[in-house]
């Protein structure tokens, strides 16, 4: 259902959300749609219900330059412009740099783990952003939103590759804002902390993370009161609300920064 009377009105902005078929990306897409955006999602997988919250689904592997160029060309040919790109797709494989427990070498990072995580979390936002910039520069307007993670600034034991890609994304945010501000293009990041589970927090990833931290695989529904000042995991709609705000003209002077959305969790 669309919300025509709310404070945020995205006024038919054309917004491309990568990884919009599941988890946080799906919720972001739903909320953008509800606030009058025209949402295009791209993903490796097609969600059964994408028509409920998006105008177009394009199947694409965004680690491939050809696929990304085709994806953006299709959006431009259909709508004539692109107002906002949400670089949301991301992956994780919790791994130790060195398996000092010596009990399961599967959880020691390999070059393949590194390449996989860097390709989706760092290279794909580079490719997607480069592909939308010509249209945004021509329009003299646009917003790029990078979905980072609190781990990008805090670091994370057992997730160093993931953290490093998110730190790189934070740097992209700052640098791109400096390069493209002159074209009225805003670049912002958001950094969620611990949230309600998604596919990224699969049992396999929880098992891997538990191993890297010398814990049993039994902490999924932990009591977070000691870690998160607000005492609970984040809800996906809370992240989606922030994205709606950042994509809207209400955020017209916010650029070059990554906003933590973590219930106060930080060191
Ligand atoms: N889940 C969390 O607690 C959490 C915390 C902090 C940050 N984040 C970030 O939020 C974003 C969304 O994560 P999520 O938890 O919703 O994960 P998710 O696994 O539920 O969704 C990620 C989506 O990206 C898609 N995708 C992966 N590789 C792709 C590729 N090569 N091409 C196209 N699509 C691809 C997947 O198919 C999936 O639909 C990620 O950037 C993640 O790092 C998540």
């Amino acid at each position: 259902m669309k919300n025509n009377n709310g404070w945020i009105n995205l006024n038919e902005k054309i917004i491309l959300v990568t990884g919009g078929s599941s988890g946080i990306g799906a919720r972001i897409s739903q909320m953008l749609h509800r606030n009058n955006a025209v949402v295009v999602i791209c993903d490796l997988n097609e969600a059964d219900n994408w028509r409920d919250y998006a105008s177009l689904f394009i199947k694409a592997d965004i680690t491939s330059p050809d696929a990304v160029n085709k994806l953006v060309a299709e959006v431009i040919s259909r709508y004539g412009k692109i107002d906002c790109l949400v670089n949301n797709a991301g992956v994780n494989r919790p791994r130790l740099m060195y398996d000092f427990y010596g009990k399961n070498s599967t959880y020691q990072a390999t070059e393949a783990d590194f390449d996989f995580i860097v390709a989706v979390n760092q290279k794909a936002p580079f490719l997607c952003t480069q592909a939308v910039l010509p249209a945004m520069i021509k329009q003299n307007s646009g917003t790029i939103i990078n979905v980072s993670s609190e781990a990008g600034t805090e670091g994370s034991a057992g997730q160093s590759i993931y953290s490093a890609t998110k730190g790189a994304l934070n740097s992209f945010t700052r640098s791109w804002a400096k390069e493209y501000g002159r074209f009225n293009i805003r670049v912002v990041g958001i950094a969620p902390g611990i949230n309600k589970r998604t596919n990224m927090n699969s049992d396999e990833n929880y098992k891997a993370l538990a191993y890297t931290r010398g814990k049993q695989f039994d902490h999924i529904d932990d009591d977070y009161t000691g870690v998160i000042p607000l005492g609970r995991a984040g809800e996906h709609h809370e992240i989606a609300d922030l994205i709606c705000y950042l994509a809207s003209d209400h955020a017209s002077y916010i650029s070059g920064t990554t906003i933590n959305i973590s219930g106060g969790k930080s060191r």
Side-chain angles (χ1 to χ4, degrees), residues 43-220:
D43 205 295
L44 292 172
N45 307 308
E46 183 170 355
D48 292 340
N49 65 338
W50 70 262
R51 287 178 188 78
D52 295 344
Y53 60 86
S55 299
L56 183 64
F57 167 79
I58 301 173
K59 193 178 176 87
D61 176 354
I62 55 166
T63 64
S64 149
D66 281 353
V68 168
N69 290 334
K70 275 189 201 139
L71 163 73
V72 173
E74 187 167 345
V75 176
I76 305 285
S77 91
R78 222 173 242 252
Y79 301 105
K81 62 171 187 160
I82 181 157
D83 296 301
C84 178
L85 165 69
V86 184
N87 283 316
N88 163 77
V91 292
N92 190 13
R93 281 183 191 163
R95 297 288 185 264
L96 289 169
M97 286 294 287
Y98 176 69
D99 176 26
F100 49 81
Y101 299 113
K103 291 182 191 154
N104 194 340
S105 61
T106 317
Y107 297 136
Q108 176 171 305
T110 62
E111 186 183 359
D113 294 325
F114 179 90
D115 289 344
F116 173 68
I117 300 170
V118 169
V120 181
N121 294 8
Q122 188 177 347
K123 187 172 105 171
F126 162 80
L127 294 174
C128 292
T129 301
Q130 202 165 47
V132 301
L133 278 173
M136 288 185 176
I137 289 171
K138 207 162 138 199
Q139 292 157 202
N140 199 43
S141 70
T143 307
I144 291 158
I145 304 177
N146 291 326
V147 179
S148 181
S149 164
E150 188 217 358
T153 43
E154 298 290 333
S156 181
Q159 306 187 100
S160 63
I161 306 172
Y162 177 81
S163 294
T165 60
K166 296 302 188 177
L169 203 51
N170 296 347
S171 276
F172 274 154
T173 298
R174 284 191 294 270
S175 302
W176 294 341
K178 288 180 176 168
E179 265 179 42
Y180 298 99
R182 74 185 64 190
F183 300 108
N184 193 30
I185 296 170
R186 292 186 298 112
V187 187
V188 286
I190 66 149
I194 295 171
N195 303 286
K196 289 279 167 67
R197 286 186 76 176
T198 63
N199 292 339
M200 183 174 282
N201 322 115
S202 62
D203 281 359
E204 175 46 36
N205 273 356
Y206 264 111
K207 269 183 206 149
L209 189 62
Y211 179 82
T212 66
R213 295 182 177 177
K215 290 185 179 166
Q216 296 300 314
F217 169 58
D218 61 358
H219 68 300
I220 286 170

